[in-house]
Amino acid sequence: MSSNRNSFSSSLGFILAAAGSAVGLGNIWRFPYLAAKDGGGLFLVVYIVLALTFGFTLLFSEIAIGRKTKQSSLTAYGKLNKGFGWLGGFSVIVPFLILPYYCIIGGWVLKYAVAFISGQGIAAAGDGYFGSFITSKLPPIIFDVIFLAATAFVVFRGVNKGIEALSKILMPILFILVIGIAIFSVTINSPETGRSGLEGLKLYFVPSVEGLTAKKFLVVVMDAMGQLFYSISVAMGIMVTYGSYCKDNENMIRSVNRIEFFDTIVAILAGVMIIPAVYVFMGKEGMTGGPGLMFVAIPKVFQQMGGIGQVIGAIFFIMVLFAALTSSISVLEAVVAGIMDKFGVSRKKATVIETVIALAIGIIICFGYNYFYFEITLPNGAAAQILDIVDYISNNILMPVVAIGTCILIGWVVKPKTAIEEATKNGETFARKWLYIIMVKVVAPVLLAVLLLGSFGII
């Protein structure tokens, strides 16, 4: 099956597709909040250090596994070592759980994009607008269906005509929009509040160590690692799958470096887009994480900008929509590729099957805000309903388990040389070879174990 397997047609196509997966909602609605909360520049420094070490290790390992086995994650782990076939199953459960609710949130983004494009931005910024939308019966499902259908259409078309072709169009546009909005955000001034975008930029980039203790620094490290963990799309089968489409003559090390660079730059620029603007109109206390930032705080910022806010708001939500779409495509592809490799079915059939299942689960999650509403407290102390529970299981439990398993497999079972030899088989130089070995064998699994224990509220 691997002999006639589809491949990305070029290194650029692979990098843009993988970067498109990595650049998603997490970069936009969580990174700026954590940076504002964790000392601005201090968080950035910690994040960049972790990206160059911890993030690189996980990203490199998964892409190497995929390219070596020419299989998606469901079957790749078992092909490397039969005793780790279970890990492939765990890795595909993650995107299977994530896809339904990610498309629901993508539908929310689409709803706001439509609102601002159609001139309803002021209404979208109103108190209760977001809450009334997600608790309504039919509208969230309609937008979910549209977003899921767009995702499925791209995956249905395949690796080259679908994923790669769209990534080559959307990712450059996304990058241009991010830079444009970031520049605009920095130049904002408000006579009413007396604050400027440049002051917000200073808040973002200048490290704040006031009141910093060892315990608080550990929180910063854990926040940065948790953000990085799912920002680069590891431990969910995506990078193994995309790695399996990477040609053997491509410089894998260089590609991994560029994916890592692209994701980090967009994450940092997301902070430049959001923190100065929110600071100008709402102060530092206006920074929140998750949906509260994207669908409540940001629309209020656009509202206070006046007429130009309607235009900037439309551009912003189109940008977020592109980021969400490129990520959801990769999530669906991880599941579809697994079905194809495991059961030998066609891409079209696998896509239809998974799309129907994702829609059914998505409808149940949507009803979690009305018909099926209930609330529980998660082990980490957060209040949750259906969407939050699914997110917690996939992101806080399964993903660390998959990542730890990957480190054990590469670090101790098949040994780091398996990944290193795959990456250097064309004579490439691996400058971070010894750092990688230390990270994959010891440092990364220890950090992941700490992250997993933190998810259970143990530390």
Side-chain angles (χ1 to χ4, degrees):
M1 191 178 300
S2 60
S3 62
N4 57 6
R5 189 177 188 82
N6 282 329
S7 300
F8 290 113
S9 64
S10 64
S11 176
L12 178 63
F14 169 57
I15 292 166
L16 290 178
S21 172
V23 177
L25 294 174
N27 294 65
I28 299 166
W29 79 14
R30 195 165 181 266
F31 190 95
Y33 156 71
L34 290 176
K37 178 177 81 73
D38 290 337
L42 176 64
F43 176 84
L44 293 183
V45 171
V46 171
Y47 184 89
I48 291 171
V49 170
L50 286 173
L52 293 172
T53 54
F54 174 77
F56 174 82
T57 299
L58 297 178
L59 190 61
F60 178 88
S61 297
E62 292 200 2
I63 291 175
I65 290 171
R67 193 171 80 163
K68 182 174 182 61
T69 62
K70 292 293 183 239
Q71 294 284 294
S72 61
S73 67
L74 183 58
T75 48
Y77 288 99
K79 190 170 183 179
L80 272 187
N81 184 281
K82 290 183 179 180
F84 278 76
W86 63 271
L87 194 57
F90 270 58
S91 71
V92 85
I93 291 173
V94 176
F96 178 81
L97 291 176
I98 289 176
L99 180 65
Y101 76 78
Y102 201 94
C103 286
I104 289 170
I105 298 171
W108 297 351
V109 175
L110 178 60
K111 164 70 174 178
Y112 273 72
V114 171
F116 274 88
I117 292 171
S118 61
Q120 301 300 311
I122 294 177
D127 293 335
Y129 183 88
F130 177 61
S132 63
F133 168 65
I134 65 172
T135 55
S136 60
K137 307 298 191 300
L138 192 58
I141 295 175
I142 293 173
F143 282 97
D144 173 33
V145 169
I146 296 171
F147 188 88
L148 177 59
T151 301
F153 175 75
V154 176
V155 173
F156 191 87
R157 285 179 58 82
V159 175
N160 303 120
K161 293 182 180 179
I163 299 169
E164 183 175 3
L166 188 74
S167 297
K168 285 182 175 179
I169 296 171
L170 288 193
M171 291 311 293
I173 296 174
L174 172 66
F175 198 57
I176 292 169
L177 292 178
V178 167
I179 292 174
I181 297 171
I183 293 171
F184 177 81
S185 179
V186 172
T187 60
I188 296 172
N189 293 283
S190 174
E192 289 79 11
T193 65
R195 293 186 288 262
S196 70
L198 285 175
E199 292 171 357
L201 191 66
K202 182 179 177 181
L203 177 73
Y204 181 41
F205 278 112
V206 177
S208 173
V209 295
E210 184 179 348
L212 185 67
T213 62
K215 185 176 181 180
K216 288 183 179 178
F217 183 73
L218 179 61
V219 171
V220 175
V221 173
M222 289 298 103
D223 281 348
M225 186 168 64
Q227 170 64 25
L228 178 67
F229 189 53
Y230 61 80
S231 174
I232 57 175
S233 294
V234 293
M236 56 180 78
I238 293 170
M239 290 305 170
V240 175
T241 301
Y242 277 11
S244 73
Y245 302 143
C246 181
K247 292 180 178 178
D248 287 329
N249 60 355
E250 296 288 352
N251 188 320
M252 196 188 98
I253 298 170
R254 184 172 60 195
S255 295
V256 171
N257 288 335
R258 289 176 177 175
I259 294 164
E260 184 182 36
F261 174 78
F262 199 105
D263 177 66
T264 303
I265 288 296
V266 172
I268 293 172
L269 284 173
V272 180
M273 280 194 305
I274 291 168
I275 290 178
V278 173
Y279 174 78
V280 167
F281 294 107
M282 306 177 74
K284 185 178 178 180
E285 58 276 6
M287 288 301 304
T288 59
L293 174 65
M294 182 78 70
F295 302 113
V296 179
I298 292 294
K300 289 185 181 298
V301 169
F302 294 141
Q303 181 188 37
Q304 295 182 60
M305 289 180 184
I308 190 66
Q310 189 81 42
V311 177
I312 300 299
I315 295 172
F316 174 81
F317 280 106
I318 289 171
M319 179 274 300
V320 177
L321 187 63
F322 287 173
L325 184 60
T326 53
S327 293
S328 67
I329 288 166
S330 67
V331 175
L332 176 56
E333 177 64 19
V335 181
V336 167
I339 296 173
M340 292 166 61
D341 289 341
K342 181 69 174 179
F343 303 105
V345 302
S346 69
R347 168 173 291 275
K348 293 180 179 180
K349 186 175 181 179
T351 304
V352 170
I353 290 171
E354 173 54 19
T355 301
V356 171
I357 294 172
L359 177 59
I361 297 174
I363 290 173
I364 293 172
I365 294 174
C366 285
F367 285 162
Y369 289 99
N370 40 69
Y371 293 118
F372 302 152
Y373 179 80
F374 65 89
E375 195 171 284
I376 65 169
T377 301
L378 296 173
N380 61 8
Q385 39 68 46
I386 296 178
L387 188 150
D388 300 315
I389 294 169
V390 177
D391 176 70
Y392 176 80
I393 293 171
S394 58
N395 283 272
N396 296 66
I397 299 176
L398 291 177
M399 285 172 64
V401 168
V402 171
I404 292 171
T406 301
C407 289
I408 293 172
L409 173 63
I410 296 296
W412 298 97
V413 180
V414 302
K415 308 298 184 184
K417 67 176 183 179
T418 301
I420 294 169
E421 288 175 358
E422 176 62 32
T424 57
K425 63 185 179 183
N426 300 312
E428 295 91 342
T429 301
F430 190 6
R432 287 189 269 181
K433 174 182 175 180
W434 293 109
L435 173 65
Y436 172 73
I437 293 172
I438 294 170
M439 287 296 300
V440 78
K441 288 174 73 74
V442 181
V443 180
V446 170
L447 289 175
L448 288 163
V450 172
L451 189 65
L452 182 60
L453 292 173
S455 298
F456 287 108
I458 297 174
I459 58 173

